[in-house]
């Protein structure tokens, strides 16, 4: 079983749609959960991070962590063509042992 | 927020030559930096952990003599690809943790990446 699993997509949605991106993980020791956005030929950009379980909202983005299910999600509301990118989930054990998902490629069509 | 600068963003070199990539933390000190490699449409692959003032820790399968890492100061780490060959062509990305940031040292900030093409 892989440590972090993420559907690679590609995922295509129309502009304005709500996007749901998800990851599952196997190591219950993970405490910090991150979502990165990576545009083509650029380095990953930190979108949001969450400590332990719960929800966190920042503008159009909402991150959810369910540690009991070992499941994390990123929701994007009112998606825009500029949101088209690869989204990577990541997690760490208090800043150690960072593990990344393979990334989901998202296309938001105008 | 934390900023990591990486240079050059794009480099082309001839087979057999060496190429140096720099990674700088601009507004914080980083005792540890991480170097990743990424092939097209694939995820990040950790190559090595760069430690200020000591030797880097390489992941299994990464050639230490091929990928030389030097963490000379608290704000600078360099990756040198020695005797580069076409199979070394890839996207190299560095990252660091900002202990003083709002998230502490628990998240990574990435540089913009360096695209290496070996002819």
């Amino acid at each position: 079983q892989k440590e972090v699993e993420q559907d690679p997509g590609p995922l295509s949605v129309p502009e304005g749609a709500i996007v749901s991106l998800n990851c599952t993980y196997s190591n219950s020791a993970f405490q910090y959960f991150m979502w990165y956005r990576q545009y083509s030929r650029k380095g990953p950009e930190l979108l949001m991070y969450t400590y332990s379980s719960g929800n966190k909202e920042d503008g159009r983005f909402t991150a959810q962590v369910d540690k009991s299910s070992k499941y994390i999600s990123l929701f994007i509301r009112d998606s825009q063509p500029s949101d088209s990118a690869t989204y990577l989930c990541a997690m760490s054990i208090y800043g150690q042992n960072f593990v990344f998902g393979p990334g989901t490629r998202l296309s938001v069509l105008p | 927020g934390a900023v990591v600068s990486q240079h050059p963003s794009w480099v082309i070199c001839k087979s057999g030559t060496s190429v140096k990539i720099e990674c700088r933390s601009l507004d914080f000190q980083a005792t540890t930096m991480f170097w990743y490699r990424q092939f097209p449409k694939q995820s990040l692959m950790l190559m090595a952990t760069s430690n200020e003032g000591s030797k880097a820790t390489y992941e299994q399968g990464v050639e230490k003599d091929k990928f030389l890492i030097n963490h000379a100061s608290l704000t600078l780490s360099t990756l040198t690809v020695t005797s580069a060959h076409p199979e070394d062509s890839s996207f190299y990305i560095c990252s660091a943790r900002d202990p003083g940031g709002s998230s502490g040292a628990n998240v990574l900030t990435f540089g913009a990446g360096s695209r290496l093409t070996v002819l």
Side-chain angles (χ1 to χ4, degrees):
Chain A
Q1 182 184 9
K2 290 184 179 178
E3 207 162 11
V4 178
E5 300 209 39
Q6 183 177 12
D7 187 337
L11 176 63
S12 293
V13 300
E15 183 175 355
I18 297 175
V19 177
S20 173
L21 303 168
N22 311 292
C23 287
T24 58
Y25 62 94
S26 57
N27 190 345
S28 59
F30 288 128
Q31 290 288 347
Y32 276 83
F33 303 90
M34 294 142 272
W35 285 97
Y36 290 86
R37 177 175 63 194
Q38 186 176 23
Y39 292 114
S40 180
R41 302 187 181 187
K42 297 291 185 183
E45 168 196 11
L46 179 66
L47 276 177
M48 300 184 71
Y49 70 90
T50 310
Y51 171 70
S52 194
S53 285
N55 296 356
K56 189 173 185 178
E57 186 174 322
D58 184 1
R60 297 185 295 112
F61 299 90
T62 299
Q64 289 186 351
V65 175
D66 182 350
K67 289 196 70 181
S68 62
S69 302
K70 298 190 183 71
Y71 188 87
I72 69 171
S73 301
L74 177 70
F75 297 96
I76 306 174
R77 291 182 298 280
D78 187 25
S79 57
Q80 302 295 311
S82 58
D83 295 327
S84 298
T86 296
Y87 290 80
L88 301 160
C89 65
M91 40 209 77
S92 74
I93 304 172
Y94 291 109
Q96 305 292 330
N97 306 105
F98 288 91
V99 178
F100 288 84
T104 298
R105 284 186 290 136
L106 171 68
S107 293
V108 181
L109 307 175
Chain B
V3 178
V4 174
S5 174
Q6 192 172 339
H7 178 83
S9 58
W10 185 39
V11 57
I12 300 175
C13 70
K14 292 182 178 180
S15 185
T17 61
S18 294
V19 173
K20 180 184 286 187
I21 300 170
E22 293 188 349
C23 180
R24 295 180 183 272
S25 56
L26 295 188
D27 48 359
F28 65 99
Q29 294 182 332
T31 55
T32 303
M33 291 185 175
F34 303 91
W35 287 94
Y36 290 85
R37 185 174 182 175
Q38 188 177 38
F39 291 104
K41 297 186 179 180
Q42 294 189 25
S43 190
L44 303 169
M45 182 186 77
L46 179 64
M47 298 176 64
T49 301
S50 172
N51 303 298
E52 188 271 335
S54 65
K55 292 183 179 180
T57 304
Y58 290 82
E59 295 299 302
Q60 190 173 6
V62 177
E63 298 178 60
K64 301 178 183 181
D65 296 331
K66 160 70 74 176
F67 300 101
L68 299 180
I69 291 173
N70 185 4
H71 198 143
S73 75
L74 288 171
T75 59
L76 174 64
S77 175
T78 60
L79 167 67
T80 301
V81 182
T82 63
S83 186
H85 291 283
E87 58 265 29
D88 298 324
S89 298
S90 191
F91 192 51
Y92 295 89
I93 317 173
C94 68
S95 68
R97 300 173 298 190
D98 177 10
S102 58
S103 61
N106 297 299
V107 300
L108 289 178
T109 298
F110 286 88
S114 299
R115 183 162 303 280
L116 171 63
T117 300
V118 184
L119 303 176

